[in-house]
Amino acid sequence: MGEDRRLAAVVALAQGMAAAHTPRESWRAAALGACRALSGSFAALSVWERELGRLRVLVNVGDRTQGEEEFPAEETYPVHQFPEITEFLHERWAAGGEPDAWVETAEGPSAGDPGYCHQRVAALRRRGRGCCVVAPIVLHGRAWGELYVARPAGVPVFDRGDADFATVLASVVAAGLAQTERLEEARRLAFTDALTGLANRRAVDVRLEEAVERHRVDGVVVSLVVCDLNGLKRVNDTQGHAVGDRLLERFGSVLSLCGAMLPGALAARLGGDEFCLLAVGCPADDVVKAADQLCRRAAELELGEGVACGVASTEDPIGTVRSARRLFRLADAAQYRAKAERAERPVVAGRQGPDDPVVRLADAEPSGEGAVERRRFRGRVP
């Protein structure tokens, strides 16, 4: 391949990874870009999981054989089967070597070090491939994983020039992975509450809108638990905000624990002393049980004065739910009734008869947006 074509291939790989919106898209773009750049028929990107002593395949692209999934759930290989991962990437590289790529063929070593690897050669033969080039990926100064590109049997094998080019491609992939990590961290921070590590209000708004749309289209049950931590102001005023923050953190842990009772539930801090659980596809009774457990555990916390908890579910008789806003208003109204009554258990919208006061309260108020709307009916629980 000429220099101009190789430069164009490097640019295409970098652009493909830069355009990715998720880690999976980034992995796929890296493998596809490298496969095309090296005129391969198959490529894979794998990560070295040091703590588990294994190489885990993230993505397989190109001509996959039986058993090779694009995004395998659990395709892993013990590190001891690939000694070059530890010896070449760690010991030799740390001693001053370079993380250069190397070539293996179905007949044995071809170009570059560390040389013959029985497991790779056996895999090539088993899958009808003639050769592969393996390029170590170094990220943040540490061996991160590898880029693997193969060609079918019967075509020219990779040479030293291909191995050198694969080393360059691995560097481009590393830069792309670093960018993906930064973007993921930015997204995580944008949707995470810094103090508790739970989701934040923005994350709830997005997920709730999506969930209610699924309910409108497919009838999926959507339930929302809104809770207000009692006694936070007293703790802040008498023991200081550091102790108040500790109370918020501890309650966040309790909320996360109770949320785990509901598969896929989102536990979030809305702000201040307000929290919520969003459950999609779970029976309403299961959500109420989780909320009841939340009330019991919150009452046992050393700090604070328990929690006021309200529940609203599309499975209960609350009328048609066409918007996320209405479900939120219902759960919030239930929560404020629980607070006014000093209830030790959750109040559930729609379960107090045909003229449920919580439903009346939520629906009687004029529509509004965000926190302003929520304050309009506070203190007006009948």
Side-chain angles (χ1 to χ4, degrees):
M1 182 186 291
E3 290 300 317
D4 289 344
R5 289 185 61 191
R6 284 191 168 177
L7 178 59
V10 168
V11 171
L13 190 158
Q15 290 177 336
M17 295 191 71
H21 296 292
T22 65
R24 276 193 168 196
E25 289 180 5
S26 179
W27 303 337
R28 188 173 187 276
L32 278 175
C35 192
R36 291 166 182 161
L38 286 162
S39 300
S41 61
F42 171 85
L45 183 69
S46 305
V47 63
W48 180 17
E49 296 184 327
R50 297 167 184 265
E51 72 280 8
L52 299 176
R54 67 185 188 180
L55 188 70
R56 179 166 66 91
V57 178
L58 300 174
V59 64
N60 293 309
V61 301
D63 298 333
R64 304 194 302 272
T65 60
Q66 186 175 4
E68 289 178 329
E69 300 175 6
E70 182 174 26
F71 294 105
E74 196 64 27
E75 184 181 350
T76 61
Y77 302 94
V79 168
H80 71 265
Q81 293 184 356
F82 303 92
E84 78 279 0
I85 294 175
T86 51
E87 295 177 9
F88 183 78
L89 292 185
H90 182 64
E91 297 174 11
R92 183 174 174 217
W93 176 47
E98 293 295 330
D100 295 327
W102 67 92
V103 175
E104 301 281 357
T105 76
E107 305 304 321
S110 175
D113 288 324
Y116 186 84
C117 178
H118 291 277
Q119 293 294 333
R120 294 193 193 277
V121 171
L124 287 171
R125 293 172 179 170
R126 185 170 64 252
R127 291 165 178 162
R129 294 170 183 145
C131 63
C132 68
V133 59
V134 184
I137 295 174
V138 178
L139 191 62
H140 307 312
R142 299 188 69 191
W144 180 88
E146 68 175 41
L147 178 65
Y148 174 101
V149 181
R151 286 176 179 169
V155 304
V157 301
F158 293 113
D159 57 23
R160 180 67 262 175
D162 292 319
D164 291 340
F165 185 40
T167 299
V168 174
L169 293 174
S171 297
V172 176
V173 169
L177 291 171
Q179 174 182 292
T180 300
E181 282 188 357
R182 289 192 294 270
L183 290 174
E184 281 300 299
E185 179 64 10
R187 292 190 186 101
R188 186 189 69 78
L189 292 174
F191 291 96
T192 303
D193 176 64
L195 177 64
T196 63
L198 301 176
N200 62 15
R201 177 62 187 262
R202 183 183 291 109
V204 173
D205 287 343
V206 172
R207 287 278 294 275
L208 185 56
E209 288 285 353
E210 294 173 347
V212 170
E213 180 62 19
R214 286 183 60 193
H215 168 71
R216 288 196 334 75
V217 174
D218 300 321
V220 174
V221 176
V222 181
S223 303
L224 189 64
V225 180
V226 172
C227 39
D228 190 282
L229 187 58
N230 297 326
L232 178 63
K233 185 177 185 304
R234 180 189 59 78
V235 171
N236 283 335
D237 291 345
T238 60
Q239 301 185 59
H241 285 273
V243 179
D245 285 350
R246 190 158 68 248
L247 171 59
L248 290 169
E249 290 177 305
R250 288 179 178 175
F251 179 72
S253 297
V254 170
L255 182 69
S256 179
L257 179 66
C258 293
M261 298 169 60
L262 307 169
L266 180 72
R269 181 188 177 201
L270 300 174
D273 56 4
E274 297 173 332
F275 294 77
C276 82
L277 276 176
L278 171 60
V280 182
C282 300
D285 286 345
D286 289 354
V287 176
V288 174
K289 288 178 183 177
D292 189 58
Q293 186 69 227
L294 177 64
C295 291
R296 294 177 187 276
R297 288 180 178 271
E300 295 171 356
L301 290 174
E302 180 182 355
L303 301 169
E305 301 167 7
V307 65
C309 192
V311 183
S313 175
T314 60
E315 196 173 50
D316 284 323
I318 57 175
T320 303
V321 175
R322 293 189 176 89
S323 69
R325 185 171 60 194
R326 181 167 189 267
L327 190 65
F328 203 102
R329 286 172 59 81
L330 284 159
D332 202 33
Q335 182 263 126
Y336 263 80
R337 186 172 185 86
K339 197 172 190 71
E341 296 176 349
R342 299 184 179 277
E344 296 182 354
R345 302 186 66 181
V347 170
V348 186
R351 295 195 177 184
Q352 299 180 55
D355 193 28
D356 189 295
V358 171
V359 177
R360 283 194 293 106
L361 175 64
D363 289 344
E365 296 299 321
S367 297
E369 294 294 335
V372 174
E373 176 193 76
R374 298 186 66 207
R375 295 300 189 272
R376 285 181 180 167
F377 54 79
R378 293 189 170 185
R380 291 184 48 194
V381 179

